[in-house]
């Protein structure tokens, strides 16, 4: 596992942000083992969770990767989807199929939001790394909510993939949608959350 504070500082520096980590923020950058609130499938093999970023932030959609959507009929794909459901606690019923992406040299994805003004919006993104990519290792994954609980797009979720300079990179992403999450991630009427 990477040191979350070091990773945070590096990411901030890459974005030319001022590095200002308060002790409260530092405590939020924690590392833990999670059983997803006692999910039987995760009790024997808890998931390592690392909070690396406390305020996600990041508009055109230009991507130079080759990609394919994998349908759930395949047992391996079904297992991966089940695992994502277990880890996130979200329903995969309205999610898009698992998408595998391969970026070659120069392959990139310009800054964008995953939420694209859909009626059934992409509430969250689960990104699996199938090769080592800078701070993230093969087998790890990143998860974030694209929407606030009040349904507004979290403008801090803008993100990009920097061009690949060496080797090539494999990832898979699961775009999870709002429908079916009503009781799993209840909405809020607050302007602030
Ligand atoms: O490949 C990446 O790191 C980014 C992919 C991405 O932004 C996406 O699939 O929505
Ligand atoms: Fe994205």
């Amino acid at each position: 596992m990477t040191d979350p504070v070091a990773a945070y500082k590096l990411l901030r520096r890459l974005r030319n942000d001022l590095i200002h980590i308060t002790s409260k923020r530092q405590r939020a950058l924690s590392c833990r083992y999670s059983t997803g609130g006692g999910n039987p499938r995760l009790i024997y093999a808890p998931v390592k969770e690392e909070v690396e970023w406390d305020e996600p932030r990041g508009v055109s959609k230009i991507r130079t990767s080759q990609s394919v959507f994998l349908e759930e009929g395949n047992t391996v794909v079904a297992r991966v989807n089940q695992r994502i459901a277990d880890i996130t606690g979200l329903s995969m019923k309205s999610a898009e199929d698992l998408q595998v992406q391969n970026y070659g040299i120069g392959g990139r994805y310009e800054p964008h939001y995953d939420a694209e003004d859909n009626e059934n919006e992409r509430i969250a993104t689960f990104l699996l790394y199938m090769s080592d990519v800078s701070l993230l290792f093969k087998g790890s994954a990143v998860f974030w909510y694209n929407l606030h609980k009040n349904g507004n797009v979290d403008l801090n979720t803008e993100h990009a993939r920097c061009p690949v300079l060496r080797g090539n990179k494999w990832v898979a992403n699961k775009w999870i949608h709002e429908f079916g999450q009503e009781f799993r991630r209840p909405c809020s009427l607050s302007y602030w959350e």
Side-chain angles (χ1 to χ4, degrees):
M1 253 195 231
T2 52
D3 169 3
V5 175
Y8 183 90
K9 283 188 174 166
L10 178 63
L11 287 167
R12 280 254 135 141
R13 207 167 63 229
L14 291 172
R15 293 168 17 157
N16 282 328
D17 268 355
L18 288 174
I19 300 168
H20 184 69
I21 305 189
T22 58
S23 55
K24 182 168 173 250
R25 184 174 267 179
Q26 190 157 336
R27 280 197 302 277
L29 303 175
S30 59
C31 213
R32 60 175 188 166
Y33 281 93
S34 164
T35 57
N39 181 323
R41 272 187 292 266
L42 300 184
I43 286 180
Y44 286 113
V47 180
K48 281 185 213 158
E49 278 183 359
E50 212 173 304
V51 181
E52 288 196 337
W53 196 248
D54 56 340
E55 9 161 319
R57 158 164 101 88
V59 182
S60 64
K61 195 159 195 162
I62 306 173
R63 175 169 46 174
T64 49
S65 66
Q66 302 186 64
S67 57
V68 64
F69 283 98
L70 302 181
E71 287 171 18
E72 208 170 310
N74 178 292
T75 50
V76 175
V77 177
R79 265 176 44 211
V80 172
N81 286 330
Q82 180 63 55
R83 191 120 180 102
I84 298 173
D86 291 340
I87 293 170
T88 62
L90 295 174
S91 162
M92 294 299 119
K93 289 221 171 72
S94 70
E96 290 166 62
D97 284 338
L98 188 71
Q99 187 189 32
V100 173
Q101 302 182 45
N102 172 241
Y103 299 80
I105 300 281
R108 72 188 196 286
Y109 200 162
E110 294 290 315
H112 66 281
Y113 297 100
D114 288 349
E116 302 183 300
D117 211 12
N118 298 306
E119 192 202 1
N120 178 11
E121 190 54 272
R122 287 174 176 158
I123 190 172
T125 301
F126 197 95
L127 191 61
L128 298 113
Y129 285 79
M130 301 189 295
S131 32
D132 293 344
V133 181
S134 57
L135 295 166
L136 290 152
F137 300 105
K138 180 173 172 175
S140 61
V142 180
F143 171 74
W144 68 90
Y145 281 105
N146 297 304
L147 303 182
H148 290 296
K149 284 187 173 173
N150 63 17
N152 288 339
V153 175
D154 181 343
L155 297 180
N156 289 326
T157 60
E158 190 174 20
H159 58 282
R161 160 61 41 209
C162 297
V164 172
L165 301 178
R166 192 157 52 93
N168 73 68
K169 193 192 97 168
W170 290 89
V171 294
N173 69 316
K174 187 81 178 163
W175 282 314
I176 304 164
H177 284 251
E178 281 179 293
F179 290 4
Q181 321 300 352
E182 295 79 0
F183 300 106
R184 295 165 189 261
R185 192 189 193 229
C187 64
S188 160
L189 295 179
S190 163
Y191 182 81
W192 303 109
E193 56 171 21

